[in-house]
Amino acid sequence: MLVTLSTRGEAAPDLSHLLHKHPGRAQSFDLSVGTAHVFYPADTAEVCTAALLLEIDAVALARSKRYGADAQALSRYVNDRPYVSTSMLALAIGQVFRSAMAGKSESRAERAAAPMDLDVALTSVPSEPDAHGVGLATRLFAPLGWAVEETRRPLDDTRPEWGDARTVGLRLRGSVRLADALRQLTVLLPVLDDAKHYWVGDDEVGKLLRRGEGWLAEHPLRDLITTRSLAHQRSLVEDATSRLLGLDETSAATADGAAATSDRTEAAAETPLHRRRAAAVLTALADTGASTVADVGCGEGALLRHLVADRTFTTVIGTDVAPRELERAERRLHLDEASDEQRARVRLLQSSVTYSDDRIAGLDAIVLMEVVEHVDPERLPALETSVFAAARPAAVVVTTPNAEHNVRFERLAAGRFRHSDHRFEWTRDEFRAWATAVGDRHGYTTEFRLVGDDDPEVGPPTQLALFRRLRGSEDAA
């Protein structure tokens, strides 16, 4: 894997200073994925080119389970992983040029802070074309101001019937700050292949937001970038999207554009909405006295980890329709390292919220945290039946976005939902009407609570309903 960064003219003598790599000698760096070599094919007063060559340890890669669980599968040993510029090259750029990515240079401070004419070339980059033949690399980099050139070659010059290769030679030209160019490469290279060679956890959200600062929120393919960068983990994607769009901020601008005042404490202002939501759910569960709980639609375990950490909950069940999400939840909960007693408290089950499942019947509580809005409206009666009639817990906790509050998010376009997978978003009246009717039909009282600061005009960002089953209503329809 090879990437070169070139600049000409007055900026040429400064490139090596900004990269913090001496042009007079070749340097090698041992990384977890192999060995990275940095050298300068050209270093004159007129032009400077820095190159990073990454040599992958093909044997270690073949032994890794990351690219297939079957050790006998031929694809484990015959693949393009050592040659294609994806997440392993992104990791090398991020580690070898870490100082340059910070955007600071004591000797060239002004140059580090200013755009410079850059020419970036990469070999063997995945770039799937769209219906119009435009490669994904162009669709990712062009909106950032780069002039993009993709060179696609036949898979085999002697076998034209095999068609073109899935990879392209990629060249980017633009006036960009060096730190921004490096950050964009580390974010977008893994997106092109939709694969990362390492486990993606909570810390990956912060890294994505730091490297995407100033450009990711407005990118037309933001949803694709966040989804692929976070390995399709729903809770992480929603967290990143909310923070990118400011959806975790509950203060707002007034109608004339002036900043609205707020009496919230500094601690509350610094607490992201997803954490306040989890805290509200845990408070509701504590109020019901629940000890056996199911998190239905648990994803990769954002709420489960809080439930497992609280010994009050003697049984914790997480269900999700996606096996991959459950595998991630298992890793996130470190169940392989847990004691026998701890593992006995926790069960992860593949199940759909719209189908009845006896394994979650008769519990103290069921939680649907940011789940209902992902269900098609015509399937809501099935959800109602499976949870309130079939499972019939003593209590149900439901959270969902308040659609009225969306106007307070400046980066959220009018009429857009907070997440691309949302099928709808309810106003406060709509949520109250649905929840009250469900409670009446199945013998539950319904209490509504706020999550986040209560805007006097549009309400809180998230709304919560706490259902408690009425005594003597065990046979309610």
Side-chain angles (χ1 to χ4, degrees):
M1 304 177 194
L2 177 68
V3 56
T4 62
L5 300 100
S6 302
T7 189
R8 296 177 177 275
E10 61 181 13
D14 298 329
L15 182 59
S16 61
H17 292 271
L18 300 183
L19 290 173
H20 299 269
K21 297 294 180 287
H22 197 285
R25 62 176 182 269
Q27 296 175 266
S28 297
F29 305 86
D30 291 329
L31 307 176
S32 59
V33 295
T35 303
H37 307 279
V38 177
F39 54 95
Y40 287 77
D43 179 39
T44 68
E46 291 77 30
V47 60
C48 182
T49 298
L52 187 154
L53 175 66
L54 179 61
E55 288 187 299
I56 298 297
D57 185 342
V59 174
L61 187 64
R63 291 173 177 169
S64 170
K65 294 183 179 180
R66 173 62 184 169
Y67 292 105
D70 183 2
Q72 304 303 316
L74 183 61
S75 61
R76 283 280 298 279
Y77 304 92
V78 182
N79 56 56
D80 60 7
R81 295 294 98 191
Y83 314 105
V84 176
S85 300
T86 53
S87 67
M88 285 177 277
L89 181 60
L91 180 144
I93 293 171
Q95 293 188 356
V96 174
F97 295 138
R98 182 178 303 167
S99 298
M101 286 178 58
K104 297 179 180 180
S105 172
E106 293 183 3
S107 61
R108 300 291 191 278
E110 292 186 3
R111 180 67 70 189
M116 57 193 300
D117 291 333
L118 287 173
D119 189 330
V120 182
L122 300 103
T123 58
S124 299
V125 176
S127 184
E128 58 193 85
D130 64 9
H132 304 286
V134 180
L136 180 57
T138 298
R139 288 177 279 143
L140 288 173
F141 285 99
L144 301 176
W146 293 100
V148 184
E149 178 184 334
E150 297 187 34
T151 304
R152 194 179 299 273
R153 294 185 55 81
L155 186 61
D156 188 322
D157 290 330
T158 66
R159 296 280 188 175
E161 66 272 17
W162 288 359
D164 290 336
R166 63 182 290 268
T167 59
V168 300
L170 182 63
R171 192 167 186 180
L172 310 172
R173 298 185 182 90
S175 180
V176 183
R177 204 168 68 107
L178 178 63
D180 293 336
L182 295 173
R183 291 171 184 167
Q184 291 165 11
L185 287 171
T186 59
V187 171
L188 297 180
L189 285 177
V191 173
L192 288 165
D193 198 36
D194 194 14
K196 285 194 173 181
H197 67 281
Y198 56 88
W199 165 245
V200 174
D202 290 342
D203 58 335
E204 202 75 5
V205 175
K207 185 169 72 175
L208 175 63
L209 297 181
R210 289 192 300 274
R211 294 181 176 180
E213 184 177 1
W215 61 271
L216 180 53
E218 307 297 335
H219 198 289
L221 296 184
R222 181 194 66 230
D223 290 344
L224 175 71
I225 294 169
T226 53
T227 298
R228 290 190 172 190
S229 295
L230 299 172
H232 300 265
Q233 297 187 55
R234 189 181 71 191
S235 63
L236 297 186
V237 173
E238 291 183 346
D239 181 14
T241 302
S242 296
R243 292 162 67 179
L244 278 170
L245 299 181
L247 303 187
D248 276 348
E249 297 298 328
T250 56
S251 62
T254 57
D256 61 0
T261 59
S262 173
D263 60 358
R264 64 184 179 179
T265 64
E266 182 179 353
E270 294 175 352
T271 304
L273 180 58
H274 71 280
R275 292 182 182 174
R276 302 174 79 174
R277 182 187 303 123
V281 170
L282 293 171
T283 297
L285 291 174
D287 291 345
T288 68
S291 60
T292 58
V293 180
D295 180 11
V296 174
C298 66
E300 48 87 41
L303 179 64
L304 287 177
R305 59 178 180 152
H306 297 290
L307 298 174
V308 172
D310 189 340
R311 303 295 295 186
T312 301
F313 302 109
T314 57
T315 298
V316 176
I317 300 174
T319 75
D320 201 279
V321 72
R324 184 166 63 175
E325 293 288 273
L326 295 173
E327 292 171 2
R328 289 167 175 157
E330 183 176 6
R331 287 193 291 265
R332 186 172 190 177
L333 297 174
H334 302 290
L335 293 182
D336 58 331
E337 303 170 3
S339 65
D340 292 342
E341 179 187 4
Q342 185 83 322
R343 285 197 298 270
R345 293 174 55 226
V346 184
R347 282 189 291 162
L348 301 178
L349 308 173
Q350 184 180 6
S351 184
S352 170
V353 69
T354 58
Y355 291 94
S356 300
D357 190 333
D358 292 340
R359 296 174 296 178
I360 61 171
L363 299 174
D364 294 336
I366 284 178
V367 176
L368 299 172
M369 190 173 78
E370 307 299 286
V371 169
V372 293
E373 64 273 12
H374 292 272
V375 177
D376 290 320
E378 60 270 21
R379 297 292 294 161
L380 287 176
L383 177 151
E384 176 186 335
T385 299
S386 70
V387 173
F388 293 90
R392 197 151 186 76
V396 179
V397 181
V398 177
T399 75
T400 192
N402 169 21
E404 296 167 80
H405 199 94
N406 290 352
V407 298
R408 297 304 193 227
F409 304 130
E410 295 181 358
R411 292 181 176 177
L412 188 63
R416 289 284 303 274
F417 294 150
R418 298 187 198 180
H419 190 272
S420 60
D421 190 51
H422 286 184
R423 303 305 198 258
F424 61 87
E425 289 178 358
W426 275 321
T427 65
R428 286 170 291 175
D429 286 345
E430 289 170 335
F431 182 50
R432 284 176 175 269
W434 175 82
T436 301
V438 168
D440 290 345
R441 280 193 289 268
H442 298 281
Y444 286 81
T445 63
T446 310
E447 175 188 345
F448 297 94
R449 300 185 179 185
L450 311 179
V451 181
D453 295 332
D454 188 15
D455 186 291
E457 296 180 358
V458 297
T462 297
Q463 42 195 344
L464 181 151
L466 172 57
F467 300 83
R468 301 178 198 248
R469 194 177 65 210
L470 292 167
R471 294 186 180 220
S473 65
E474 287 76 7
D475 298 326

